[in-house]
């Protein structure tokens, strides 16, 4: 769903850019409340993992593929504000280094793929965990449904943006039908990836999953034939090794490097949902050449490396490294601002 330059006219692109900038400013402020010394490194890792998994296009229909958008996954793991920032970091790296998603369309892409998916997914997720049993399994189920709905929501958002600023004379009804139809199928893949990832993290470190906070059930005691809450007790001491997210961080980084550097070679080569719809309805005729088309990493390959497997693998590894570095720098800076604002001197 990376929108290239030329699909959306300049005024609409500028308007979505202003909207995206405002949302990022709000997210920077909100992320200060979500991040602490344990979760700040995880947020950078989430951005790198999303980058890696987005390289793994999976087939969804004849001649069409899809890939993870990541808004639901990021919101549930690290919080909605931090989630918006995580996906935005990915989109920025993809646009600048890999010529994936237009630079003039960066506001459109952040609005659609970072803001809409994260807000919709987290709203659905929070609504579900309030009515489902307060268990870890419920978090996984809610993650699946939230991710499933977030993708067609992004398709609807693109359709609305295209209705306002599209540069071709294509029936909006046709665009909406095609976009929503294919992205419902892509949403199934998004839901499976999100649920599996959240389930894996919550199995080993539930304390690091933002969406699982506060879901512990109070112990019940039977008194006089009635169930009452047991007196609150302090949490059991946690070993220092278990408190550190280092093991999870290393495992996640290695997984991201393997996915981007090796598994991505076997991804579907079919056009993704937006590319397929654009080609079928003549929307891609207005696409302009990317400003970073001459980048050494354009199209997820390393320039002058002739072996396709090696070229794509190196590009994926570089992308993961750059994204985790950029994301970690942003989130540590946000975390530092929070520490400074809550210090006794402040």
């Amino acid at each position: 769903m990376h929108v290239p330059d030329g699909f959306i006219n300049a005024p609409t692109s500028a308007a979505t850019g202003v909207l995206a900038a405002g949302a990022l400013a709000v997210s920077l402020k909100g992320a200060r409340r979500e991040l602490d010394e344990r979760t700040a490194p995880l947020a950078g890792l989430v951005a790198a993992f999303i980058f890696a998994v987005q390289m793994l296009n999976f087939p969804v229909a004849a001649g069409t593929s899809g890939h993870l958008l990541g808004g639901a996954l990021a919101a549930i793991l690290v919080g909605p504000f931090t989630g918006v920032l995580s996906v935005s970091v990915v989109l920025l790296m993809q646009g600048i280094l890999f010529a994936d998603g237009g630079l003039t369309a960066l506001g459109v892409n952040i609005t659609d793929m970072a803001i809409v998916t994260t807000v919709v997914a987290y709203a659905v997720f929070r609504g579900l965990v309030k009515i489902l049993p307060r268990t870890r399994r419920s978090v996984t189920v809610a993650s699946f449904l939230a991710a499933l709905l977030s993708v067609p929501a992004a398709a609807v958002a693109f359709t609305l943006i295209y209705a306002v600023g599209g540069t071709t004379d294509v029936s909006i009804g046709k665009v909406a039908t095609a976009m929503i139809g294919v992205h419902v199928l892509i949403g199934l893949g998004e839901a499976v990836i999100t649920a599996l990832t959240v389930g894996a993290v919550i199995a080993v470190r539930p304390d690091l999953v933002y969406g699982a906070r506060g879901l512990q059930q109070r112990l019940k005691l039977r008194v006089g034939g009635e169930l009452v809450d047991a007196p609150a007790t302090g949490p059991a001491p946690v070993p220092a090794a278990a408190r550190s997210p280092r093991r999870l961080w290393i495992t996640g980084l290695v997984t991201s490097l393997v996915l981007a550097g090796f598994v991505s070679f076997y991804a579907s080569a079919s056009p993704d949902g937006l590319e397929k719809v654009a080609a079928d309805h003549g929307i891609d005729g207005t696409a302009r050449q990317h400003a970073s088309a001459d980048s050494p990493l354009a199209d997820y390959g390393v320039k002058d490396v002739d072996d396709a497997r090696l070229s794509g693998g190196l590009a994926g590894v570089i992308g993961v490294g750059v994204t985790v570095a950029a994301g970690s720098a942003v989130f540590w800076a946000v975390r530092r601002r929070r520490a400074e604002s809550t210090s006794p001197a402040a």
Side-chain angles (χ1 to χ4, degrees):
M1 197 177 289
H2 293 76
V3 179
D5 295 318
F7 275 23
I8 307 298
N9 63 30
T12 306
S13 296
T16 56
V18 172
L19 175 61
L24 291 177
V26 172
S27 296
L28 283 169
K29 186 174 181 179
R32 295 182 196 174
R33 301 191 297 270
E34 295 172 347
L35 295 172
D36 55 32
E37 65 278 359
R38 295 180 306 162
T39 56
L42 181 62
L45 176 62
V46 167
F49 182 78
I50 290 173
F51 174 90
V53 180
Q54 283 196 3
M55 294 183 67
L56 309 180
N57 281 48
F58 48 84
V60 294
T64 310
S65 69
H67 62 70
L68 182 82
L69 297 186
L73 178 63
I76 294 164
L77 288 181
V78 294
F81 295 107
T82 309
V84 169
L85 297 177
S86 296
V87 180
S88 297
V89 167
V90 174
L91 294 172
L92 186 62
M93 295 299 102
Q94 290 171 332
I96 293 176
L97 298 179
F98 297 91
D100 189 9
L103 296 184
T104 62
L106 186 60
V108 175
N109 286 320
I110 289 177
T111 300
D112 195 24
M113 297 177 64
I115 300 170
V116 171
T117 58
T118 302
V119 170
V120 170
Y122 196 70
V124 172
F125 175 82
R126 292 310 306 175
L128 289 173
V129 295
K130 289 181 179 179
I131 60 177
L132 292 173
R134 298 166 68 84
T135 63
R136 295 178 184 178
R137 181 174 297 178
S138 296
V139 174
T140 304
V141 171
S143 301
F144 181 93
L145 295 173
L148 176 64
L149 294 175
S150 69
V151 178
V156 171
F158 169 79
T159 303
L160 294 175
I161 293 172
Y162 192 81
V164 174
T167 53
T168 56
D169 257 351
V170 179
S171 167
I172 299 303
K174 291 182 179 180
V175 174
T177 301
M179 284 292 293
I180 296 171
V182 71
H183 284 91
V184 166
L185 299 177
I186 295 173
L188 289 170
E190 177 104 8
V192 170
I193 295 171
T194 301
L196 289 176
T197 306
V198 171
V201 177
I202 209 171
V204 294
R205 288 301 302 269
D207 58 307
L208 293 180
V209 178
Y210 185 88
R213 294 179 181 178
L215 293 181
Q216 295 82 3
Q217 288 181 303
R218 289 287 299 275
L219 179 64
K220 298 285 186 179
L221 297 178
R222 188 173 295 278
V223 178
E226 296 182 358
L227 289 176
V228 297
D229 287 335
T233 58
V238 180
R243 289 198 302 268
S244 172
R246 182 177 301 174
R247 181 176 298 178
L248 177 64
W249 195 91
I250 293 173
T251 302
L253 180 60
V254 170
T255 301
S256 300
L257 290 171
V258 170
L259 291 175
F262 177 74
V263 181
S264 63
F265 181 77
Y266 301 96
S268 172
S270 299
D272 64 27
L274 176 59
E275 290 173 338
K276 179 65 173 174
V277 171
D280 288 347
H281 295 279
I283 299 174
D284 58 354
T286 59
R288 298 199 306 269
Q289 185 178 22
H290 199 286
S292 299
D294 294 330
S295 166
L297 299 173
D299 297 324
Y300 297 94
V302 177
K303 191 175 182 180
D304 298 329
V305 176
D306 296 329
D307 185 276
R309 186 190 297 268
L310 179 60
S311 177
L314 286 175
V317 168
I318 293 170
V320 168
V322 171
T323 303
V324 75
S328 297
V330 169
F331 297 122
W332 274 115
V334 173
R335 168 62 187 154
R336 184 175 180 181
R337 287 289 302 273
R338 172 183 172 177
E340 290 175 351
S341 66
T342 57
S343 66

